[in-house]
Amino acid sequence: MIRVLLADDQSLVRAGFKALLDAQDDLEVAGEAADGDEALRRVRALRPDVVLMDIRMPVLDGLAATRRITDDPDLKDVKVVILTTFELDEYVFEAIRSGASGFLVKDTEPAELLRAVRAVVEGDALLSPGVTRRLISEFAARSKEPAAAGLLAGLTEREREVMALVGIGLSNDEIARRLVVSPLTAKTHVSRTMVKLGARDRAQLVVMAYESGLVRPGWLG
């Protein structure tokens, strides 16, 4: 059973998500919060698998709450999916840098929301359709000078190659086609790379690809 915490200051929104999630055999709403501070307290008390976190909330906003969750070693298994009204929200970039595992607009189709919750539990990053490559382009434009190459010292050449492809926004299936391997093999390479680098999920792997200099601005064409 995947346990979900709903953090949104609109009770109607929470009620809608709760009805959808609780109707699934493998999902349940473990708790709710109306602001970021309450969300943080509830996460520490309930240890949900996934938090659906609104960005704009009183007391403590969703970004700050996400950062505190992902910075806490005791909460390392909690995944955060950021929710917002606009796909091109100015906070998307910072949300991923803050440790969020995914990003969805609130008018996402119900089936997509359910897929998102299940996907992030498996370690996959989740972004609304159309956001991924724009987000990566934005990261490229804002990225600082690459960190020391030592960050990637423990990776094999194939793992570096796979990480670079993740960094430019390719899915496991696209990586498999590019490298002429099976999707399972591609997924295994991605997983091993994440373990070696201590990446929480695929979204953080993208950030590391840019910060290490493995992927550079302009690669998306």
Side-chain angles (χ1 to χ4, degrees), residues 3 13 16 19 31 53 56 63 91 97 108 126 129-130 133 139 147 149-150 153 159 161 163 166 218:
R3 302 171 65 249
V13 171
M53 181 85 74
R56 297 180 181 87
L63 289 179
Y91 297 113
R97 288 297 302 272
T108 294
L126 191 286
R133 290 176 188 268
F139 187 93
E159 287 165 350
E161 187 175 14
M163 183 177 177
V166 171

Side-chain angles (χ1 to χ4, degrees), residues 17 20-21 52 83 104 108-117:
F17 284 147
L20 174 65
L21 295 168
L52 294 181
L83 298 169
L104 286 173
T108 294
E109 291 295 322
E112 178 67 12
L113 176 67
L114 297 174
R115 186 186 77 80
V117 172

Side-chain angles (χ1 to χ4, degrees), residues 3-207:
R3 302 171 65 249
V4 182
L5 179 77
L6 304 176
D8 195 296
D9 62 342
Q10 298 182 47
S11 58
L12 188 60
V13 171
R14 296 198 308 273
F17 284 147
K18 179 175 172 57
L20 174 65
L21 295 168
D22 281 343
Q24 309 304 308
D25 292 337
D26 61 333
L27 304 174
E28 70 173 0
V29 174
E32 300 181 34
D35 60 64
D37 188 59
E38 183 183 10
L40 190 57
R41 295 197 308 271
R42 300 283 278 169
V43 167
R44 287 170 174 161
L46 300 172
R47 303 298 171 96
D49 300 298
V50 179
V51 181
L52 294 181
M53 181 85 74
D54 186 27
I55 285 183
R56 297 180 181 87
M57 292 188 291
V59 185
L60 186 70
D61 67 41
L63 289 179
T66 296
R67 195 173 298 112
R68 294 187 190 183
I69 290 170
T70 58
D71 284 348
D72 188 337
D74 290 337
L75 303 177
K76 61 182 178 62
D77 294 326
V78 178
K79 307 295 185 181
V80 179
V81 174
I82 293 291
L83 298 169
T84 190
T85 305
F86 303 103
E87 185 176 87
L88 295 180
D89 194 298
E90 62 189 89
Y91 297 113
V92 179
F93 175 82
E94 188 58 35
I96 300 303
R97 288 297 302 272
S98 296
S101 297
F103 172 88
L104 286 173
V105 288
K106 289 183 179 178
D107 62 356
T108 294
E109 291 295 322
E112 178 67 12
L113 176 67
L114 297 174
R115 186 186 77 80
V117 172
R118 295 175 177 123
V120 295
V121 170
E122 294 299 317
D124 292 333
L126 191 286
L127 299 170
S128 291
V131 168
T132 305
R133 290 176 188 268
R134 288 200 298 274
L135 174 65
I136 292 172
S137 294
E138 180 72 2
F139 187 93
R142 299 190 187 190
S143 60
K144 57 189 178 184
E145 286 299 310
L151 174 66
L152 308 181
L155 301 184
T156 65
E157 285 302 314
R158 176 47 61 95
E159 287 165 350
R160 290 180 183 224
E161 187 175 14
V162 167
M163 183 177 177
L165 295 176
V166 171
I168 62 173
L170 299 192
S171 66
N172 287 344
D173 286 346
E174 290 170 330
I175 291 172
R177 289 194 293 271
R178 180 76 65 93
L179 300 181
V180 195
V181 299
S182 71
L184 179 59
T185 297
K187 182 177 180 179
T188 298
H189 284 310
V190 172
S191 297
R192 287 178 178 170
T193 302
M194 287 168 53
V195 169
K196 286 185 177 181
L197 295 178
R200 289 172 58 94
D201 49 43
R202 200 181 188 96
Q204 191 174 16
L205 199 60
V206 171
V207 173

